[in-house]
Amino acid sequence: MKDVTVLDIKLNLGSLQEAYPGVANVLIPLWRMSNYARELERMGVSFSFEKGFDALTLRVKARFSVVNRAVKLIEDMLLNPVIDRLSDAIREAKTSISINREDTSVRSVAEALKVLFNDHPYSRHPLAYDYSLDGITKDDIKRAVDALKVLSLTVVAPENTIDINLPYAGYAKCP
């Protein structure tokens, strides 16, 4: 379709970049619980999250006529998680992790790193252990949101002007 816009936003919340292991897994349901997410869905905007080793990817598909409004809602959604529902989000994240293949692969790679690198810092990375999501606090969520950066952004649109106001970081500058 000619009037569809697709955004691919990579955020600095991949498994190897989380200050508290698993915080992105909890943020995803917090974001989905927001009024901003509901408004995006009402507008017909589809979006999905995919957590990888180096980034959390947010994929968005919207009609071009509503994309600037959708981007503003996405910014608000990412920067204002529903922190009061933290316990619900932790419960949902635990369920998601138990059935999510990516997290299984993360743990598998972490175990392989432990075997390969023995006493190397990689073997002591938090990924080498199961996530302890119950230890995530509102302060951990706030720190993650305050440190949120866009590593890369890909836009496919029929026109070349879209206003995006998310914090940006060069990939090389991220730990």
Side-chain angles (χ1 to χ4, degrees):
M1 294 182 16
K2 285 199 250 181
D3 68 337
V4 172
T5 300
V6 178
L7 304 172
D8 191 67
I9 305 168
K10 297 211 182 291
L11 303 169
N12 63 330
L13 283 171
S15 296
L16 297 174
Q17 295 192 42
E18 296 175 313
Y20 190 105
V23 74
N25 298 71
V26 174
L27 270 168
I28 292 169
L30 285 176
W31 287 327
R32 287 189 171 284
M33 292 173 188
S34 74
N35 289 332
Y36 305 112
R38 284 194 284 279
E39 181 62 24
L40 284 166
E41 290 169 350
R42 274 193 289 272
M43 291 172 50
V45 175
S46 66
F47 61 95
S48 64
F49 293 95
E50 180 182 320
K51 184 178 169 195
F53 288 112
D54 58 346
L56 175 69
T57 302
L58 171 58
R59 289 192 175 86
V60 181
K61 186 176 175 184
R63 291 182 323 275
F64 187 77
S65 60
V66 300
V67 76
N68 284 332
R69 172 79 177 123
V71 168
K72 176 65 177 127
L73 287 168
I74 289 165
E75 292 167 9
D76 291 340
M77 177 182 71
L78 293 176
L79 299 176
N80 301 294
V82 185
I83 196 73
D84 294 334
R85 304 236 357 237
L86 182 59
S87 59
D88 295 335
I90 288 172
R91 190 171 38 259
E92 191 173 320
K94 285 179 181 178
T95 302
S96 175
I97 286 171
S98 69
I99 60 173
N100 190 333
R101 274 186 264 154
E102 287 165 34
D103 286 305
T104 302
S105 69
V106 166
R107 287 195 298 269
S108 299
V109 168
E111 288 301 317
L113 290 173
K114 238 168 50 171
V115 170
L116 291 172
F117 293 104
N118 205 6
D119 198 29
H120 189 276
Y122 278 136
S123 67
R124 295 187 301 272
H125 189 280
L127 286 178
Y129 309 97
D130 285 332
Y131 292 138
S132 176
L133 300 181
D134 289 325
I136 293 177
T137 65
K138 291 180 179 183
D139 288 335
D140 294 320
I141 297 296
K142 183 177 177 349
R143 277 192 294 278
V145 170
D146 288 346
L148 190 65
K149 300 282 185 225
V150 174
L151 301 176
S152 73
L153 171 66
T154 304
V155 180
V156 178
E159 297 180 33
N160 61 1
T161 304
I162 295 177
D163 295 322
I164 296 178
N165 191 28
L166 287 168
Y168 176 77
Y171 189 79
K173 293 181 184 177
C174 289

